[in-house]
Amino acid sequence: AIEKAGWPADTVVDMAAAERSAHHFGFWTYKPWLFSVESATEQSLGEPPAWLVFLETSTAIDPEVLKGFLAKYDDQQEHYLGRSVEDVESSIIHHYSTDTAYPVAQAGFAVSWPLVRRLARDLREKPSGRNQQIEPVWEFAKWVKEVGVELTNRSDAFCVARRDGCATWVSHGPRASYRLQPKDVLVAVKTVSHFHESRIPVMQDVWGEASGVDVVYLSNEGFSGVPSAEVVDLSTEFGDMVDPKREATKQGSGHCSKMEAILKYLFRHRRGRRWYVVVDDDTLLNVPRLLEVLDSYDDSMALSVGERYGWSHTEYSSGSNYITTGGGVALSEPALKMLNECETCACRVPHAPDDMTLGTWMTSLGVPILHEEAFHQSEPHNYHPEVLAASEPAVSFHRYGVWLPASAKPEEVGRARRANWRQWAKEHFYSQRGASQAHDGGRSVEL
């Protein structure tokens, strides 16, 4: 659309390409990229753009409507425009804060250059700490509010569904297909003996048994309580690496050594698959949708796919990215091979965080860590309903969302967990081949 409108090619910045060029893999968190662009522009003494407009790969745009809409604002003033939402209940991914309005990222948002300057100045005065990055669009909104600028709600221009007057709207285009079949995927469930009776029956009943893909439960002990479930005792081969007393302690329950054992087991004994998906034993998985998402990636390459979090990205240096295991981490066969052939990929301590450590290994190996919005580290109530509606069909959610008294009987707990998962699946799970598009990074338009 921008090319057809006759705008210069450099009007659009591909965030993923910008990351590769700058060797900074945290531009997707907004702050580092904004700081880099502002610094380069000011040093060049060139004419800065009037606006930065941030888009996702699922954002459609009418350039002329966008240009006319932004022209109504004084671009010498500080403006932050978007489709505003506020959490209706406290959310763990927003640190339980409900007082920050933030834009629906898929609909895009705009920041005027004077505000960009102010934000860059704030970073120079108060450099970013080495924090965790979970949901950048909310974290960015919180930061802008802290410097004194509120998000202006312009849902008439930044739209979810297209209508007259929309400058942007959400449009999930078709995906590529690499002809993936269910037999090409193996799902490995990371579990432990004291959760066998309470979790495996629920998982197997709700999605595991009927999934159409091979599902294997990898644990520190065997379990025969669910005849249809294949439970592998890793301790016979990996010993202390899967000992719960070592990989989950008071100092940390990161399960790193267990993850290391799982990767070794898959490589040694389950070769021949195109994708390996590692999930927790309280992960709800939409397998048909999982297959559609993975089918759109070239699995001849070493890739890691899932919900991406970040750690220690600052304006001056790149931190690390990782895929959250609660939402599921998908590894292509070449990625699994590289991890197993890596001589330096070993846990610092057995109880180190497995997902963060895995991210560090993959970064060191040059394996792309690709974000897919359909994977969710938390329960549905932790995501705004409008954001879920604007997103692609869900692949996963994590945990059960069940709060019962400690006196509740195991049967009652199991029924409540099944009920919640089935309700979530009814509300959020469907698959529609050709109706969605990969999400990796985003775009920015300079006006």
Side-chain angles (χ1 to χ4, degrees):
I2 290 174
E3 290 179 359
K4 291 180 180 179
W7 292 12
D10 60 359
T11 300
V12 179
V13 177
D14 182 319
M15 199 70 76
E19 287 186 337
R20 291 191 294 270
S21 176
H23 300 287
H24 192 307
F25 298 99
F27 278 4
W28 59 275
T29 65
Y30 299 124
K31 281 186 180 182
W33 183 81
L34 182 145
F35 183 81
S36 173
V37 168
E38 192 274 345
S39 298
T41 302
E42 296 299 323
Q43 290 172 10
S44 72
L45 302 179
E47 185 70 21
W51 295 88
L52 296 184
V53 181
F54 293 87
L55 311 175
E56 294 292 313
T57 53
S58 58
T59 312
I61 179 173
D62 186 320
E64 293 307 315
V65 173
L66 177 63
K67 186 176 180 180
F69 164 73
L70 294 177
K72 298 175 183 178
Y73 286 85
D74 181 357
D75 58 26
Q76 298 305 304
Q77 301 297 316
E78 296 174 344
H79 297 293
Y80 178 31
L81 314 174
R83 184 180 187 86
S84 176
V85 294
E86 294 183 53
D87 289 337
V88 293
E89 57 181 292
S90 60
S91 167
I92 188 173
I93 64 172
H94 296 160
H95 309 290
Y96 302 104
S97 171
T98 58
D99 60 356
T100 299
Y102 57 99
V104 176
Q106 296 91 335
F109 62 92
V111 180
S112 65
W113 191 257
L115 179 54
V116 172
R117 279 197 177 115
R118 182 171 180 179
L119 293 170
R121 184 170 65 250
D122 183 68
L123 286 173
R124 292 186 179 95
E125 295 172 355
K126 296 179 291 184
S128 299
R130 295 192 174 277
N131 301 313
Q132 186 180 33
Q133 290 83 36
I134 297 176
E135 191 176 34
V137 69
W138 180 86
E139 291 155 7
F140 182 81
K142 182 175 182 291
W143 175 41
V144 174
K145 182 179 179 180
E146 288 171 350
V147 303
V149 179
E150 296 278 354
L151 175 65
T152 300
N153 183 24
R154 292 305 307 265
S155 57
D156 57 323
F158 297 93
C159 306
V160 172
R162 188 178 189 180
R163 60 179 185 274
D164 289 344
C166 288
T168 67
W169 60 95
V170 182
S171 178
H172 297 294
R175 287 180 177 264
S177 174
Y178 288 86
R179 302 185 181 278
L180 188 72
Q181 301 297 319
K183 64 180 178 62
D184 299 323
V185 177
L186 184 142
V187 176
V189 181
K190 180 179 59 176
T191 189
V192 66
S193 56
H194 61 265
F195 285 146
H196 285 175
E197 292 188 0
S198 61
R199 295 189 176 184
I200 293 178
V202 175
M203 178 171 280
Q204 193 70 355
D205 185 29
V206 175
W207 67 263
E209 185 171 1
S211 66
V213 301
D214 283 347
V215 179
V216 57
Y217 298 84
L218 302 179
S219 186
N220 63 306
E221 291 182 7
F223 178 66
S224 58
V226 180
S228 64
E230 180 185 1
V231 182
V232 175
D233 179 4
L234 295 178
S235 69
T236 59
E237 183 173 355
F238 299 101
D240 288 348
M241 292 179 70
V242 297
D243 183 349
K245 295 178 181 178
R246 298 186 74 250
E247 47 93 8
T249 70
K250 292 181 179 180
Q251 289 73 39
S253 55
H255 314 293
C256 188
S257 62
K258 178 184 283 184
M259 175 63 79
E260 192 175 351
I262 287 172
L263 298 176
K264 291 179 183 298
Y265 170 82
L266 295 175
F267 186 67
R268 293 175 184 176
H269 304 291
R270 299 284 179 148
R271 300 291 291 275
R273 309 304 174 99
R274 293 167 62 182
W275 287 96
Y276 298 84
V277 183
V278 181
V279 301
D280 287 352
D281 57 5
D282 55 352
T283 300
L284 173 63
L285 203 58
N286 179 4
V287 175
R289 183 63 187 153
L290 171 70
L291 293 173
E292 291 178 350
V293 170
L294 297 182
D295 180 40
S296 67
Y297 287 97
D298 181 358
D299 57 274
S300 67
M301 302 170 59
L303 301 173
S304 173
V305 178
E307 183 174 27
R308 176 183 56 194
Y309 281 7
W311 182 261
S312 294
H313 292 303
T314 73
E315 53 275 18
Y316 295 106
S317 63
S318 179
S320 61
N321 296 323
Y322 62 97
I323 300 297
T324 62
T325 53
V329 53
L331 301 171
S332 65
E333 193 278 337
L336 180 67
K337 184 174 186 290
M338 289 180 69
L339 286 166
N340 275 274
E341 293 177 349
C342 173
E343 296 181 356
T344 59
C345 297
C347 297
R348 176 178 51 84
V349 291
H351 57 265
D354 58 353
D355 47 9
M356 296 176 73
T357 304
L358 184 57
T360 301
W361 295 343
M362 289 189 290
T363 298
S364 70
L365 294 169
V367 177
I369 298 172
L370 304 176
H371 177 66
E372 277 281 350
E373 66 179 7
F375 292 72
H376 298 90
Q377 170 66 11
S378 197
E379 307 97 324
H381 71 263
N382 285 298
Y383 305 88
H384 194 281
E386 188 165 336
V387 173
L388 286 176
S391 302
E392 298 177 295
V395 165
S396 65
F397 290 106
H398 185 213
R399 295 184 286 269
Y400 302 105
V402 171
W403 293 272
L404 294 174
S407 59
K409 295 181 178 180
E411 296 82 4
E412 182 181 0
V413 174
R415 284 195 299 270
R417 289 175 172 179
R418 286 176 173 85
N420 268 16
W421 271 12
R422 288 183 171 128
Q423 185 61 35
W424 296 353
K426 181 179 179 180
E427 294 177 359
H428 304 288
F429 283 4
Y430 64 94
S431 61
Q432 185 178 355
R433 184 173 294 278
S436 55
Q437 181 176 341
H439 263 228
D440 176 29
R443 294 173 288 162
S444 173
V445 178
E446 300 177 359
L447 298 176

